[in-house]
Amino acid sequence: MNSVYYQLKLDRDIPVPLYYQLKQFMIQNIENGKLKEGDAVPTEEELCEILNISRATIRQAFSELVTEGHLKRQKAKGTFIAKPKVEGRFFQVIESFNDEMRKKGLQPSSMVVDSGTMNDREVLEQLGLDGRSSCVYINRVRYANNDPMVYARTYLPSRPFKELLKVDLGKHSLYKTMEEKFGIVVHRVSRRLQVGLADGELSKLLAIPEGSPIYVVYTLSYTKDGTPVEYSIAKYRGDLNEFRIDLERG
């Protein structure tokens, strides 16, 4: 057993629930690296003896830690420290996936699953195009340190972006290519976040069990003059991603 658990001293004289003190202790030691991904967590019986608290207290703390993605349970094996989630600031800054991953010290990569042209009416409407137009679509799985993080379906007007189909977007950033090859800069984006469950196809692409929770982010990108140039639907693994939104009083 990791000796860090013997350092925990629960304070019964303060108005902070014992389960919450245990929970914060676990989070703090996960963040400072004393508890590492894959480490086994002591059993309820062991923690009851070490901390002199009830099983109900431990279960409440661990239940919240599992829900928030800090711990994971494996049937017949026990409870373990989970892989850290990647925090996304997609509602605060305009930044490519590659740039954001590198800032976090992770190695990004992409795999193009499919690409081509289409004229889906709903997509054309999002891009402000009429029914006689067409759009380019590029479907990619995005990775961080070889872990599949997100499956993104991206749509752009065929004019001027049809030549994008000749670019290997498994190796090159879409936003940088748009700027360097086509002279078009994304100036503003509108994003909408939903939650969902992975179907069979997505579970294979992201290496997660079918029915796993996912984040679904819809993005519409505009140039400085307000012209829509990109529409995307990105499906993020719920176990490896989290989103932060900071608010200020207006």
Side-chain angles (χ1 to χ4, degrees):
M1 184 191 306
N2 193 318
S3 62
V4 70
Y5 295 101
Y6 291 96
Q7 300 171 15
L8 173 57
K9 305 297 181 184
L10 299 177
D11 191 340
R12 290 170 168 79
D13 296 325
I14 60 175
V16 178
L18 297 180
Y19 90 88
Y20 189 78
Q21 293 184 48
L22 172 57
K23 175 185 172 181
Q24 293 304 113
F25 173 84
M26 296 290 293
I27 292 174
Q28 178 182 347
N29 282 279
I30 290 171
E31 291 179 347
N32 66 24
K34 292 182 179 179
L35 296 176
K36 296 179 172 56
E37 175 193 346
D39 285 354
V41 175
T43 64
E44 291 179 2
E45 293 86 348
E46 290 172 325
L47 284 176
C48 284
E49 182 177 345
I50 294 171
L51 304 175
N52 191 27
I53 55 177
S54 69
R55 284 193 177 189
T57 298
I58 296 169
R59 285 173 185 165
Q60 185 172 359
F62 281 15
S63 177
E64 292 189 7
L65 288 165
V66 169
T67 299
E68 295 172 12
H70 300 291
L71 300 181
K72 61 180 179 180
R73 292 192 175 107
Q74 295 184 6
K75 192 173 182 179
K77 292 185 177 180
T79 303
F80 300 85
I81 305 299
K83 182 186 289 290
K85 291 190 176 185
V86 175
E87 182 187 81
R89 298 190 300 145
F90 294 105
F91 296 87
Q92 299 169 289
V93 295
I94 299 175
E95 193 169 43
S96 73
F97 176 86
N98 289 351
D99 288 343
E100 182 159 13
M101 292 304 103
R102 290 190 182 104
K103 283 184 178 179
K104 298 179 186 302
L106 303 172
Q107 181 59 46
S109 58
S110 299
M111 177 183 69
V112 177
V113 177
D114 190 20
S115 64
T117 59
M118 62 185 298
N119 60 351
D120 180 273
R121 186 173 68 178
E122 181 181 346
V123 173
L124 293 176
E125 288 178 354
Q126 292 288 343
L127 292 170
L129 303 173
D130 61 38
R132 295 170 296 176
S133 303
S134 65
C135 63
V136 170
Y137 70 88
I138 303 156
N139 301 338
R140 293 175 292 171
V141 178
R142 317 299 302 274
Y143 299 82
N145 286 356
N146 295 320
D147 289 320
M149 302 292 287
V150 55
Y151 173 61
R153 303 200 308 265
T154 303
Y155 308 93
L156 306 100
S158 290
R159 294 183 181 179
F161 293 114
K162 192 170 183 179
E163 292 298 306
L164 266 177
L165 296 176
K166 298 179 182 179
V167 178
D168 185 357
L169 292 177
K171 297 180 179 178
H172 300 281
S173 164
L174 174 62
Y175 279 7
K176 286 185 179 179
T177 301
M178 289 170 65
E179 182 175 353
E180 294 172 0
K181 187 175 179 66
F182 300 94
I184 294 177
V185 178
V186 171
H187 181 76
R188 177 175 67 87
V189 301
S190 173
R191 287 194 168 108
R192 179 165 52 95
L193 174 67
Q194 294 181 349
V195 295
L197 300 175
D199 59 20
E201 179 184 4
L202 186 65
S203 69
K204 293 176 183 178
L205 289 169
L206 295 183
I208 53 178
E210 187 172 351
S212 297
I214 59 171
Y215 298 105
V216 185
V217 178
Y218 299 85
T219 300
L220 191 55
S221 304
Y222 302 85
T223 60
K224 192 171 185 178
D225 66 4
T227 302
V229 289
E230 178 215 12
Y231 175 59
S232 71
I233 304 171
K235 299 181 178 182
Y236 292 80
R237 287 177 57 163
D239 61 332
L240 294 184
N241 293 278
E242 63 181 16
F243 295 93
R244 190 185 78 209
I245 301 173
D246 295 331
L247 303 175
E248 293 181 0
R249 184 177 296 278

